[in-house]
Amino acid sequence: MSPAASSATPTPSGVPLRQAPSYPMSNYAAEFGVDRDGLQPPRTGQAGRSMSNSSVAHGTRNQSFAMSAAPGSFSSDLRSTLSSRAATPRPDAASTFAMDFAEEDGKTASERIVVVLTEQLKRELKIKEGSENLLEALNMKKAKQTKEQRSKVELELTSSNRKIAQLQSQLEELRRPKEVTTPPRSRMSSLFRSNASRSSPNNMGSLEQDDSDDEAETESPTFALAEILQSLEVEGMQPDYYVERSNSLVELFKRHPTLKYDLAWSVFGLRVQTMLLSDSKEVVAAGYRVARYAITDRNSLQTIRNLNTDYLVVLSLVKEGKASVEREQALKFIRAFLDVKDGVREVSRAVVRTMVAVAEHSEDRLRSICIETLAEILIRDPPLLISAGGMGPLTEILGDGSYEASESLVTAFLYLLDMPRSRQYLRPGHGLEVVFYAFTDPLSSQGREEKLKANARVIAATLRTWSGLMALSMYDFRAIRSLISSLQFPGSQVRDIILDLLFEILRIKPPSWSSSFLAGRRLTTYNRVANLKSEALPHSTPLANEENGRQRNLIEHYLALVLAVVLEAGLLKALLSVLSGNAEPVLRRKATLLLGEVLKMASWMLPGTYSAKLQMLPELFSSASNFTGEHHSVAANTVYQIDSVNRTLFRSGAAAPLPLTRNADLGEHREARQTEPTKTKVSPQIDEAQFRSLMLESQVLSTANHSKWRWDVLQGIAEGPLLNPKRLDEAIKATKFLKRLVGFYRPFKYRFADVKNTKPNQRYVRIGCTLVKTLLQTSEGVRYLVENKLLRQLAECLAQLDHMSGLTSMTPLFSPTRLSETLSGGYFAILGVLGSDAKGLIMLERWKMINMCYHIVELDKRPDLVRTLLGHMDFSLNSHFRVMLSKALTASPKDIRIFATILLRKYATSFPHQSSGSTAATASAEWAIRLLVTQLYDPEVEVCETAVKILEEACNGTYCLEYVVKCRPALDHLGEIGAPLLLRFLSTSTGYHYLNDLDYITQEMDDWFLGRNDTYVTLVEASLARAMHGADKPRRDSEENSMDREESGMAPPHFYRELTRTAEGCRLLRDKGHFDEFVMTISNYELDDDDAETVVKVKGCLWAVGNVGSMELGAPFLEESDVVQSIVEIARKAQVLTLRGTAFFALGLISQSIHGLEILDEFGWDGATNAMGLSLGLCIPMRLGSVFSIEPWPHKSEKSSEADLDGECGPSSEKEAINVRILELIVDLGNTVLTKKAVSDLMHIKAKKPPGFGEPRLFHKVMMILERHHYRLPVRRFVIDLFEKSVMRRLVLDEESDDDGDATSDDGETTTT
């Protein structure tokens, strides 16, 4: 993304870009649908009038137009439906018609479907997880007692799996980009034909439509335009006549987008004015729609405003709900101004005042979209909104909690807070703190759970940005202190929501056993807690622990600062007060869990100076040790609970909000020891009596029903005694133990093959693989496998899939349904175990299963089967399976090629660091790297990108990097995709000289210095945005997506960081003098400078200096200059808040090196280190308040317009007494005390029919009063309804006298800000 492109749309993130955030249509905006078919005319009654009270009917794409729409829904078709009875329609039925806000391409509709499907997918995933947990719990009980319940749960789980697969396929289809396979002319023709076919209520007459479409392709656009405009000149026709012509005009603009640039506005504008002045709301709506499609640039907006459309828009917006179609189109007409460059400058203040009134009216259907429009105006033109009195209502709406899209609204406030120039429009300590009122006032918050949750979401979104964190930390963390101190209030509802908010702010994911713990179950009863450590920690390769390959997660650094802030605000004291008070048991347990998580996070995230005193909990231990005190028992119980939770958290490994790859080097061996601490491995060297006892305990000899077998005992037997040839021979010959156990896995017995595919049932697959692996270790076991029917039957099942075998089956074992719903796919895991051993490969070749697998890989119609086969194979041996994988990498469809490429990651990244390591592991790594290098030339970009990511990860190791360089891959054709891999080559001298020979380093260095350094700012802030705001989006659980999740929040590769890894690179950097230029730019920066270009330039230099200083070889550059002091000053005193955040991250990068950490210590910053003394790259100031020292700024409030009101449009400007009285009463309507009397007096005057209510001049003055004063929506509607309808026509069409004309000529100035 270029800087120019990024300036149009912001990225809300931890360090947000200085851009105007785009406001996506929320749930309310999405209801407006998509303009697909045009406006449908209303049906007329017997007297020729249009039916003003008609019901709405709108449908989606393939739905009948007779379907009734839900309240609040919208469509692009303007029409009315007759009542089901022959009588007149109900008089109270409001006619709601529709239009769209996100129009032609239909993106809003597709996004709306994606949101709905995503919510359904989340729900089904929760159902699946709950069913699996319930099945696992039922497996611990006796089979007879839970048989019926287990069958019900399995049925529900099967149904959930089907729904999940269906929803995932639908989401993939919607997210897949549409391929254009036809020329542009044909594509436009097909779009027009589909549009025309959808516009009819049924599919009859499609032949005629195709004929008309063919004519439309060859039509003359100017002739068609002239014909339509001429037809609109006809007067006295029914409303449907004008609506149909306007629809045709809009379709003409869609087919010929350049036609609107050549409009003759003298004719076209008159037609639009005539339609907007119609008595039919459908015709008025059609007029707005036509005018909206005629907008091209700001000049066209000025031309349209010269048609006096401001009056008409205000008149439409204040109408009642029955004119919803007109109001919606008027609002969309105004929103179209915002889509034009500088179009917000043409939005009238009177229109903005009216939208503010609509936003304040809680029962108005357009309220939500008006709020979003006002928020967008606040970003694009704050003075306009301030002058229209919109800041106060938006602040009240933000704090009220009734607006569902409050997170998008608060983004506008956060955007203004960033720069000092825009910060002046917000009142210090008020704009964002309004959301805390609901928590600090427990009396008003009782019974308003939805409001509390909405405000909690706003606070969480605020604390994810630098602007929000800085603003809420003003006045010695006043807002955050007030929130945390609210935990001491007695209200359980407020406490519960605050605790949930703290979990979200600190990004703490509750462990899987938290729900049971909160319900009151003892931690010692959790059979799975001890086994969760290996599942909780993400997959990490040995390469991730190398010093050269360590990546720093920026989110962790930001999170460390947030943790320090909430601890500084008194979090521990508040949690201890909850634990020691009379709170409900559930709240106390939740507070205990949060306290344990916070203490564990602080132990590794914060420097020792912070975390050491936190772990002591002096107040709690003093109360617990005071045996005579009244709080002794409560404090002692609290200490016990905290200790129990901490021990359980350590065993489960669920305390970290993000992967703790940095501590893997210290905990690797400890994790290996504690993966299965509750299981005692059975020794192979046991006597006959003990072995018989184990076989009897397993229940295999007692019953043939596998559900009654003790599978945990069987696991121990397979891993231990069966490795002893004597015990194995006894199991084969002396008992039926092995016969029954292996017989359970025979395919044609349909026992293992019919077991439901659930998470608890995966233990059958694991034990089956363990059993086969054990049998392959001894000659007796190999002989038993050869003679057993297991492999023979498995070969026959595979032959059913081989089209060359001649065997077929009506119900094959590996059908798609059985693979997804049963454990049939587990047989491929058993084949993978056989393929990992030389003796197993001989067995596979004996039964011709190798040939069958070759043919299966060629099945393009069974990608599920190919994935299952390749996914379970072991490629560590140089066997036929490697050839199959190579074939899948080159000759299979794209999805299979991507999947096969990801399979190489395991072998490319898991090998010894030194070349003197295992020869087999090194050979496997080299084989995988060679295939990955080949994948770089795949015709599909997605495949190349996947290969680049894996190679980039593998290049963290020196040996792998040198081997990749030895392969000499050509990456020029990949462009930006291959750039990260080329940067990795700079890590070693070999790669440096290779790139230097290609003349890559010099060109890339100049490129980064001249522009890419600034582009990096956009890249890193986009990564932060995805990590901060995209964490809750559902993603498919695949290895590809898991790699993407690991990269989210990571600092992208930086050229100068990689360059300073080698001595040659440091010499080049010194010779070029780029670092000195960066230091000069940072040192010369004025702390109050908010020029956008300068800010981006300084940010780029900060990232460059930080990345250079993060390397040990780059630390001397820091010592030779005083740049660290300048960066610290920017982090403390810069007026641009996001620039402070960038400086904070730069200091974190500098702290990664030992020399950098020592330099930071001199300036009062301390960093976290591990047990080995290595820096974790997490540094915070010793005086936390120094970073959050923001002085209150002067507030620029709304300028009062009352001073010049009397001279222009006040009562004193009128000569006639009755007009003076009318203006006085209208002014009194803005006073709530005088409103009732003013309304009564105006009604009396209206009854006398004074001439003033028919004068355009007086109406113009009244509109000026409404523009400059705050009035509620009903009051505005009342005032405008006082005047005759003919006034608007005379005012718009200039049909007034000379005196009135003078007043009208001033309109353009008075209604334009």
Side-chain angles (χ1 to χ4, degrees):
M1 181 186 299
S2 65
S6 62
S7 62
T9 305
T11 306
S13 63
V15 188
L17 298 175
R18 178 59 190 176
Q19 301 160 344
S22 63
Y23 277 80
M25 312 310 292
S26 66
N27 295 334
Y28 309 101
E31 292 178 356
F32 278 69
V34 180
D35 257 342
R36 295 193 184 103
D37 310 322
L39 301 173
Q40 297 295 330
R43 301 179 184 177
T44 57
Q46 296 177 356
R49 297 180 180 180
S50 64
M51 297 171 56
S52 60
N53 296 321
S54 59
S55 60
V56 69
H58 93 286
T60 57
R61 212 172 265 190
N62 301 323
Q63 289 179 339
S64 171
F65 286 142
M67 294 177 60
S68 61
S73 61
F74 299 86
S75 163
S76 61
D77 298 332
L78 184 58
R79 60 190 174 278
S80 61
T81 57
L82 292 173
S83 176
S84 58
R85 302 180 182 179
T88 57
R90 292 172 53 187
D92 58 341
S95 64
T96 52
F97 299 59
M99 319 288 151
D100 60 279
F101 273 89
E103 302 263 276
E104 296 75 17
D105 54 1
K107 290 184 179 178
T108 301
S110 61
E111 291 174 359
R112 183 181 176 188
I113 297 175
V114 169
V115 170
V116 173
L117 293 179
T118 302
E119 293 298 328
Q120 294 179 3
L121 181 58
K122 285 182 180 179
R123 183 166 57 253
E124 293 299 332
L125 288 174
K126 291 181 180 178
I127 294 174
K128 177 183 177 182
E129 183 179 1
S131 302
E132 290 177 345
N133 292 336
L134 182 57
L135 277 178
E136 191 166 352
L138 293 176
N139 287 334
M140 304 301 297
K141 300 180 181 180
K142 294 183 179 180
K144 290 183 178 180
Q145 299 176 355
T146 60
K147 181 177 181 181
E148 182 178 356
Q149 189 175 4
R150 184 185 291 107
S151 62
K152 292 182 180 178
V153 176
E154 289 179 349
L155 184 63
E156 181 67 26
L157 183 59
T158 302
S159 175
S160 180
N161 286 329
R162 289 180 178 176
K163 292 180 181 178
I164 289 173
Q166 182 180 3
L167 291 172
Q168 288 177 344
S169 63
Q170 292 177 359
L171 284 173
E172 286 182 354
E173 184 67 25
L174 288 172
R175 290 168 177 168
R176 184 179 301 135
K178 305 299 181 184
E179 298 181 358
V180 179
T181 58
T182 55
R185 181 180 180 87
S186 303
R187 185 174 66 87
M188 180 60 69
S189 174
S190 64
L191 288 175
F192 179 65
R193 283 197 293 269
S194 62
N195 195 15
S197 63
R198 289 195 300 268
S199 63
S200 62
N202 50 52
N203 293 329
M204 299 298 294
S206 59
L207 182 59
E208 290 80 357
Q209 292 174 358
D210 291 340
D211 294 340
S212 62
D213 295 339
D214 294 337
E215 295 177 2
E217 289 187 8
T218 58
E219 68 181 350
S220 171
T222 54
F223 177 78
L225 176 63
E227 184 179 7
I228 295 175
L229 292 179
Q230 185 177 4
S231 63
L232 288 175
E233 292 182 7
V234 182
E235 297 182 359
M237 303 298 292
Q238 296 297 327
D240 58 352
Y241 174 85
Y242 301 103
V243 172
E244 288 177 356
R245 269 59 181 180
S246 65
N247 282 340
S248 302
L249 186 55
V250 169
E251 292 299 327
L252 184 64
F253 285 149
K254 287 182 179 181
R255 294 194 301 270
H256 306 282
T258 59
L259 183 61
K260 55 188 175 183
Y261 291 93
D262 301 324
L263 289 176
W265 280 96
S266 58
V267 178
F268 181 80
L270 181 61
R271 303 295 173 266
V272 172
Q273 284 180 316
T274 305
M275 296 179 67
L276 294 179
L277 290 171
S278 173
D279 294 334
S280 171
K281 54 183 177 294
E282 291 85 4
V283 177
V284 177
Y288 283 123
R289 187 165 180 255
V290 169
R292 174 159 52 93
Y293 275 91
I295 294 175
T296 56
D297 52 15
R298 187 175 178 180
N299 292 331
S300 65
L301 295 179
Q302 295 172 350
T303 304
I304 292 175
R305 288 196 64 203
N306 290 333
L307 303 177
N308 296 318
T309 54
D310 291 343
Y311 288 130
L312 297 168
V313 171
V314 171
L315 178 64
S316 298
L317 290 178
V318 301
K319 288 186 177 181
E320 296 180 350
K322 63 182 181 180
S324 61
V325 61
E326 178 182 341
R327 301 178 71 228
E328 292 159 12
Q329 283 298 321
L331 186 54
K332 293 197 308 187
F333 171 69
I334 293 301
R335 284 191 60 86
F337 283 43
L338 305 180
D339 296 333
V340 177
K341 183 180 180 181
D342 295 330
V344 69
R345 307 293 180 185
E346 300 301 326
V347 179
S348 168
R349 185 173 62 178
V351 174
V352 179
R353 279 276 190 189
T354 309
M355 286 194 292
V356 170
V358 176
E360 290 180 318
H361 198 57
S362 59
E363 298 179 357
D364 198 292
R365 292 176 62 248
L366 299 182
R367 176 177 183 263
S368 299
I369 197 61
C370 280
I371 293 174
E372 290 188 1
T373 306
L374 292 174
E376 192 168 348
I377 293 176
L378 175 61
I379 289 176
R380 296 175 181 270
D381 192 359
L384 173 61
L385 187 75
I386 298 296
S387 64
M391 183 59 71
L394 285 183
T395 305
E396 293 177 3
I397 292 169
L398 184 64
D400 182 66
S402 59
Y403 180 51
E404 295 184 3
S406 300
E407 297 94 325
S408 62
L409 178 58
V410 76
T411 308
F413 289 82
L414 296 174
Y415 172 78
L416 294 183
L417 279 172
D418 186 24
M419 293 286 188
R421 188 185 311 169
S422 57
R423 198 180 305 151
Q424 59 185 340
Y425 298 110
L426 296 178
R427 188 181 305 169
H430 175 72
L432 294 178
E433 292 187 3
V434 293
V435 297
F436 292 85
Y437 296 163
F439 297 97
T440 56
D441 188 3
L443 297 179
S444 64
S445 61
Q446 291 181 357
R448 300 194 62 184
E449 182 179 3
E450 294 301 324
K451 175 182 178 180
L452 292 173
K453 290 183 178 180
N455 288 359
R457 291 193 299 268
V458 173
I459 295 174
T462 303
L463 290 176
R464 293 192 188 108
T465 64
W466 276 105
S467 302
L469 181 61
M470 295 289 180
L472 296 182
S473 300
M474 291 179 61
Y475 306 108
D476 193 22
F477 310 102
R478 181 178 67 184
I480 300 178
R481 287 183 189 274
S482 65
L483 175 68
I484 294 177
S485 62
S486 300
L487 285 172
Q488 303 179 16
F489 290 156
S492 59
Q493 187 181 66
V494 176
R495 285 180 168 186
D496 185 54
I497 294 177
I498 292 177
L499 290 177
D500 291 337
L501 173 61
L502 291 172
F503 273 101
E504 184 177 0
I505 290 174
L506 298 176
R507 296 171 64 87
I508 298 174
K509 182 180 180 181
S512 58
W513 46 264
S514 61
S515 57
S516 300
F517 170 67
L518 296 178
R521 293 179 57 188
R522 295 179 59 191
L523 293 176
T524 54
T525 61
Y526 304 150
N527 296 324
R528 292 189 301 142
V529 167
N531 303 329
L532 288 176
K533 182 126 182 148
S534 59
E535 298 178 7
L537 290 176
H539 170 73
S540 61
T541 64
L543 299 177
N545 305 325
E546 283 195 69
E547 175 65 24
N548 289 341
R550 284 193 310 215
Q551 282 186 307
R552 300 310 181 195
N553 195 309
L554 300 177
I555 299 300
E556 292 180 358
H557 193 194
Y558 181 79
L559 193 59
L561 183 63
V562 175
L563 178 61
V565 168
V566 295
L567 289 174
E568 182 75 15
L571 177 60
L572 287 184
K573 183 179 179 181
L575 291 177
L576 292 176
S577 67
V578 175
L579 295 175
S580 60
N582 298 324
E584 297 179 359
V586 177
L587 284 178
R588 296 182 62 183
R589 297 189 195 102
K590 184 178 289 189
T592 302
L593 182 60
L594 178 60
L595 182 59
E597 297 274 11
V598 168
L599 292 178
K600 190 169 184 180
M601 290 176 59
S603 66
W604 73 274
M605 273 190 168
L606 300 181
T609 55
Y610 277 86
S611 60
K613 58 183 179 181
L614 297 176
Q615 307 295 332
M616 297 174 60
L617 299 177
E619 298 179 359
L620 181 62
F621 278 95
S622 61
S623 299
S625 60
N626 185 9
F627 294 93
T628 60
E630 57 180 351
H631 300 293
H632 163 70
S633 60
V634 176
N637 181 58
T638 302
V639 172
Y640 169 75
Q641 291 288 345
I642 294 174
D643 179 64
S644 179
V645 167
N646 279 332
R647 284 187 282 106
T648 308
L649 286 173
F650 176 78
R651 291 198 303 270
S652 64
L658 292 168
L660 305 183
T661 55
R662 303 181 184 84
N663 295 336
D665 54 344
L666 302 178
E668 182 178 355
H669 301 291
R670 182 172 56 206
E671 176 188 346
R673 293 197 309 268
Q674 296 184 354
T675 301
E676 299 283 347
T678 59
K679 289 187 178 181
T680 56
K681 187 175 181 180
V682 183
S683 173
Q685 307 300 327
I686 61 174
D687 56 22
E688 182 179 350
Q690 291 176 328
F691 183 56
R692 282 187 172 273
S693 176
L694 285 175
M695 288 192 295
L696 291 174
E697 185 181 355
S698 66
Q699 302 296 319
V700 174
L701 299 177
S702 303
T703 177
N705 188 354
H706 70 276
S707 62
K708 296 181 180 180
W709 294 351
R710 291 283 306 277
W711 289 93
D712 54 341
V713 178
L714 290 175
Q715 180 79 22
I717 294 175
E719 293 176 348
L722 291 184
L723 290 172
N724 188 333
K726 190 174 182 180
R727 300 283 83 85
L728 178 61
D729 186 68
E730 182 181 349
I732 295 173
K733 297 179 179 179
T735 66
K736 295 183 178 181
F737 177 80
L738 204 59
K739 180 180 179 182
R740 283 188 176 178
L741 184 56
V742 177
F744 167 72
Y745 290 97
R746 282 167 53 181
F748 291 156
K749 284 196 173 184
Y750 291 102
R751 299 175 65 190
F752 171 78
D754 282 349
V755 176
K756 297 296 182 182
N757 185 14
T758 62
K759 186 177 180 181
N761 289 343
Q762 292 298 319
R763 59 180 178 175
Y764 302 138
V765 180
R766 291 194 296 269
I767 295 177
C769 294
T770 304
L771 179 62
V772 173
K773 185 176 182 180
T774 300
L775 293 176
L776 289 173
Q777 304 304 313
T778 59
S779 58
E780 291 83 358
V782 172
R783 189 181 310 113
Y784 182 80
L785 280 176
V786 172
E787 296 174 355
N788 196 272
K789 296 181 181 180
L790 173 64
L791 298 183
R792 187 187 316 164
Q793 294 182 4
L794 187 55
E796 186 174 344
C797 293
L798 288 176
Q800 297 172 1
L801 304 172
D802 186 1
H803 60 279
M804 301 184 65
S805 66
L807 296 179
T808 58
S809 174
M810 296 297 295
T811 57
L813 186 69
F814 299 120
S815 64
T817 304
R818 293 187 64 89
L819 275 182
S820 61
E821 297 182 359
T822 67
L823 293 183
S824 299
Y827 285 114
F828 290 99
I830 296 176
L831 290 178
V833 174
L834 292 171
S836 63
D837 190 275
K839 296 182 288 294
L841 288 172
I842 295 175
M843 298 180 194
L844 295 177
E845 291 179 356
R846 176 185 178 184
W847 295 108
K848 309 298 182 183
M849 283 190 273
I850 297 292
N851 295 338
M852 300 174 191
C853 291
Y854 271 114
H855 298 153
I856 290 175
V857 173
E858 298 175 354
L859 297 177
D860 293 340
K861 296 182 179 179
R862 290 296 306 275
D864 59 328
L865 190 62
V866 178
R867 286 172 179 267
T868 306
L869 173 63
L870 296 177
H872 289 95
M873 291 299 107
D874 191 305
F875 304 101
S876 56
L877 296 180
N878 189 8
S879 62
H880 286 279
F881 291 115
R882 287 192 176 183
V883 181
M884 294 180 197
L885 183 63
S886 301
K887 190 174 183 180
L889 286 169
T890 55
S892 297
K894 182 182 71 172
D895 294 341
I896 300 298
R897 298 205 305 274
I898 295 176
F899 177 79
T901 305
I902 295 174
L903 292 178
L904 295 172
R905 180 183 182 223
K906 172 184 175 183
Y907 305 94
T909 59
S910 57
F911 60 91
H913 303 168
Q914 305 297 331
S915 59
S916 60
S918 171
T919 305
T922 303
S924 297
E926 293 176 354
W927 163 77
I929 291 173
R930 287 195 300 270
L931 291 181
L932 287 171
V933 171
T934 304
Q935 293 303 96
L936 296 176
Y937 309 106
D938 192 277
E940 294 291 341
V941 178
E942 292 86 346
V943 180
C944 301
E945 188 175 3
T946 305
V948 167
K949 289 181 179 180
I950 299 175
L951 286 174
E952 182 184 355
E953 182 183 355
C955 285
N956 289 334
T958 304
Y959 178 76
C960 174
L961 175 59
E962 293 179 351
Y963 190 80
V964 173
V965 175
K966 184 179 179 181
C967 295
R968 303 183 67 85
L971 300 175
D972 296 341
H973 64 288
L974 297 179
E976 293 296 327
I977 296 177
L981 183 58
L982 289 175
L983 291 182
R984 289 293 186 187
F985 290 178
L986 293 174
S987 302
T988 63
S989 297
T990 305
Y992 178 88
H993 291 296
Y994 168 67
L995 294 179
N996 193 34
D997 294 340
L998 298 177
D999 200 22
Y1000 168 81
I1001 297 178
T1002 304
Q1003 296 180 6
E1004 189 73 4
M1005 195 172 187
D1006 294 339
D1007 191 17
W1008 274 78
F1009 182 74
L1010 297 175
R1012 291 279 296 280
N1013 211 30
D1014 299 339
T1015 308
Y1016 182 83
V1017 176
T1018 304
L1019 182 64
V1020 70
E1021 292 180 356
S1023 175
L1024 284 169
R1026 287 193 298 269
M1028 284 286 191
H1029 301 274
D1032 298 333
K1033 294 181 180 179
R1035 306 185 66 171
R1036 297 192 60 181
D1037 190 13
S1038 63
E1039 290 188 50
E1040 179 183 11
N1041 288 338
S1042 66
M1043 288 192 297
D1044 293 339
R1045 281 196 295 269
E1046 290 175 5
E1047 292 180 358
S1048 182
M1050 293 288 186
H1054 199 284
F1055 175 80
Y1056 290 101
R1057 175 186 173 90
E1058 306 300 325
L1059 187 66
T1060 51
R1061 289 181 183 271
T1062 59
E1064 295 90 344
C1066 292
R1067 284 196 298 269
L1068 179 63
L1069 180 60
R1070 192 181 301 275
D1071 294 340
K1072 286 282 189 177
H1074 290 183
F1075 189 83
D1076 297 334
E1077 294 290 337
F1078 297 148
V1079 172
M1080 185 178 300
T1081 302
I1082 295 173
S1083 302
N1084 295 337
Y1085 173 70
E1086 299 292 338
L1087 297 178
D1088 57 350
D1089 188 359
D1090 61 351
D1091 180 69
E1093 185 177 350
T1094 304
V1095 169
V1096 173
K1097 188 71 176 178
V1098 174
K1099 284 182 179 180
C1101 294
L1102 287 173
W1103 284 114
V1105 171
N1107 278 280
V1108 170
S1110 65
M1111 307 306 299
E1112 294 296 339
L1113 294 178
F1117 289 94
L1118 301 177
E1119 296 178 353
E1120 296 171 2
S1121 62
D1122 296 331
V1123 66
V1124 176
Q1125 181 178 1
S1126 301
I1127 297 176
V1128 170
E1129 287 297 314
I1130 292 177
R1132 292 177 52 197
K1133 300 180 181 180
Q1135 294 300 309
V1136 180
L1137 301 185
T1138 53
L1139 190 57
R1140 289 195 185 192
T1142 305
F1144 175 78
F1145 287 131
L1147 293 175
L1149 291 172
I1150 292 174
S1151 70
Q1152 293 178 16
S1153 63
I1154 297 177
H1155 293 84
L1157 196 59
E1158 294 175 353
I1159 296 174
L1160 288 175
D1161 184 66
E1162 299 176 1
F1163 295 99
W1165 286 65
D1166 197 3
T1169 58
N1170 59 12
M1172 303 297 293
L1174 299 177
S1175 174
L1176 300 179
L1178 307 175
C1179 69
I1180 57 176
M1182 299 178 185
R1183 288 181 56 253
L1184 200 59
S1186 62
V1187 179
F1188 301 99
S1189 57
I1190 304 178
E1191 296 295 331
W1193 55 86
H1195 173 56
K1196 179 180 290 187
S1197 59
E1198 176 186 359
K1199 295 182 179 180
S1200 177
S1201 57
E1202 296 181 0
D1204 57 347
L1205 183 62
D1206 292 339
E1208 294 185 20
C1209 58
S1212 60
S1213 63
E1214 278 293 329
K1215 299 179 181 179
E1216 299 183 14
I1218 188 64
N1219 291 349
V1220 172
R1221 181 57 180 165
I1222 290 174
L1223 294 178
E1224 291 176 349
L1225 292 175
I1226 291 176
V1227 172
D1228 291 343
L1229 288 175
N1231 190 330
T1232 55
V1233 179
L1234 305 176
T1235 299
K1236 187 175 181 180
K1237 184 177 183 303
V1239 170
S1240 178
D1241 292 346
L1242 284 172
M1243 292 301 294
H1244 284 299
I1245 297 176
K1246 174 68 173 178
K1248 297 179 182 179
K1249 298 182 179 180
F1253 286 138
E1255 297 178 0
R1257 180 173 51 84
L1258 182 62
F1259 180 79
H1260 172 71
K1261 293 184 177 181
V1262 170
M1263 292 295 291
M1264 292 181 64
I1265 294 176
L1266 295 179
E1267 176 186 349
R1268 301 191 179 193
H1269 287 276
H1270 177 267
Y1271 292 94
R1272 294 287 182 180
L1273 184 63
V1275 175
R1276 291 177 175 270
R1277 184 183 303 125
F1278 169 76
V1279 171
I1280 293 179
D1281 288 344
L1282 291 174
F1283 288 85
E1284 298 176 1
K1285 294 183 179 180
S1286 60
V1287 175
M1288 184 61 69
R1289 184 177 186 87
R1290 295 167 57 193
L1291 189 63
V1292 172
L1293 298 179
D1294 296 330
E1295 295 178 355
E1296 55 269 11
S1297 60
D1298 295 339
D1299 295 338
D1300 295 340
D1302 296 337
T1304 306
S1305 63
D1306 295 335
D1307 174 61
E1309 300 175 2
T1310 58
T1311 59
T1312 305
T1313 56

